Amino acid sequence: RDSWSLFCSSLTFNQKEKIAFYNEKGKIFHKNDGYTINSQKGTFNTKINTVFFKQDVELDHPEYKIFSDTLIYNTDIQNTQIIGKTKIKTKNSIINCEKGWFNNETNQSSLKGNINIESDNHTLFADSIYYNETSGISYAEGNVKIIEDSNNIIIEGKYGHHNENSDSTRIWNNSSLTQADSSDTLKIYADQFIKVNDSLSDEIFCFNNVIIE
């Protein structure tokens, strides 16, 4: 079972409803996984084994940090929901979104709302993203865009798929590629684009109904 420690200046407990809450700044320490959660307000509903953190929420995990307006954690299924403008900082990227969830047991997560993910050499935009950490597979949907900083390439489409193991990306449905420099702009339309990275170079392939402008 989860093992928690709570630090706050005052705590109120409703014995009838089995709810405890604090309205001043509090801090939670998760002993099993070694992370902390800070928030201005917090509510513990013991009937449904759910913790609600509200206002200036900061989750400090050894592998990532989350800054959000609202965070909801269910201790039974180890599922965390984030609501409101959220920033997630990992070792390799910075993620901005408006809501989502992630499950510590299944290593699956879903993000929605004006998503942008900044990494060392590119930025990904989408309306929603599903990610399976175990398989290394992520799926993006809605206004998908990848901006490659190193070569000024933008690839856009309705759907996207990324495989971390092969370091390959596929974008399709109303998809296009744009590359601009100081003198000219290249525009390519195709049914789908596949981008493959290796240690030497990046390669981009386009398939079906290709139009070059």
Side-chain angles (χ1 to χ4, degrees):
R1 294 183 60 85
D2 288 346
S3 181
W4 297 81
S5 293
L6 168 63
F7 306 90
C8 61
S9 59
S10 63
L11 182 70
T12 302
F13 182 69
N14 185 322
Q15 189 170 5
K16 182 179 179 180
E17 299 295 333
K18 304 298 181 183
I19 294 176
F21 61 90
Y22 59 85
N23 288 321
E24 297 181 4
K25 189 173 183 179
K27 177 180 178 180
I28 297 290
F29 176 64
H30 194 291
K31 296 180 180 178
N32 294 345
D33 294 333
Y35 65 82
T36 60
I37 302 175
N38 294 276
S39 66
Q40 293 294 331
K41 298 180 180 181
T43 302
F44 301 78
N45 190 323
T46 59
K47 288 184 178 180
I48 58 176
N49 293 323
T50 300
V51 189
F52 300 83
F53 301 95
K54 183 70 176 177
Q55 289 185 7
D56 300 325
V57 181
E58 296 182 12
L59 189 155
D60 192 349
H61 189 279
E63 296 183 0
Y64 56 85
K65 292 184 179 182
I66 298 177
F67 305 87
S68 184
D69 177 70
T70 302
L71 188 148
I72 304 170
Y73 180 70
N74 185 292
T75 60
D76 284 340
I77 60 176
Q78 297 190 37
N79 190 79
T80 301
Q81 297 181 59
I82 47 178
I83 301 172
K85 189 176 181 180
T86 300
K87 182 185 293 289
I88 304 171
K89 294 183 177 181
T90 71
K91 295 178 181 179
N92 301 317
S93 64
I94 297 176
I95 304 168
N96 293 281
C97 65
E98 294 179 351
K99 61 181 178 179
W101 60 262
F102 55 94
N103 190 291
N104 294 335
E105 283 192 334
T106 62
N107 291 324
Q108 297 178 3
S109 60
S110 175
L111 303 175
K112 293 185 178 181
N114 296 319
I115 302 166
N116 68 78
I117 302 176
E118 302 174 21
S119 64
D120 290 338
N121 56 7
H122 70 268
T123 304
L124 168 65
F125 299 85
D127 293 337
S128 65
I129 293 178
Y130 168 80
Y131 175 59
N132 187 315
E133 185 179 357
T134 303
S135 66
I137 299 296
S138 57
Y139 172 76
E141 182 174 341
N143 297 305
V144 178
K145 179 193 292 186
I146 294 180
I147 300 177
E148 294 286 342
D149 298 328
S150 59
N151 48 23
N152 296 320
I153 287 179
I154 300 174
I155 305 177
E156 300 176 85
K158 186 176 181 180
Y159 304 106
H161 178 278
H162 180 70
N163 188 321
E164 290 181 349
N165 299 316
S166 61
D167 200 7
S168 61
T169 303
R170 175 178 173 242
I171 294 179
W172 70 99
N173 199 303
N174 295 324
S175 52
S176 65
L177 180 150
T178 305
Q179 185 176 32
D181 56 30
S182 59
S183 61
D184 198 6
T185 299
L186 171 67
K187 189 82 173 184
I188 302 176
Y189 300 91
D191 289 350
Q192 64 174 317
F193 292 87
I194 296 178
K195 181 176 179 294
V196 180
N197 301 331
D198 58 34
S199 58
L200 299 177
S201 63
D202 297 343
E203 294 183 311
I204 300 175
F205 304 90
C206 52
F207 298 90
N208 300 330
N209 299 309
V210 178
I211 300 175
I212 301 175
E213 291 184 351

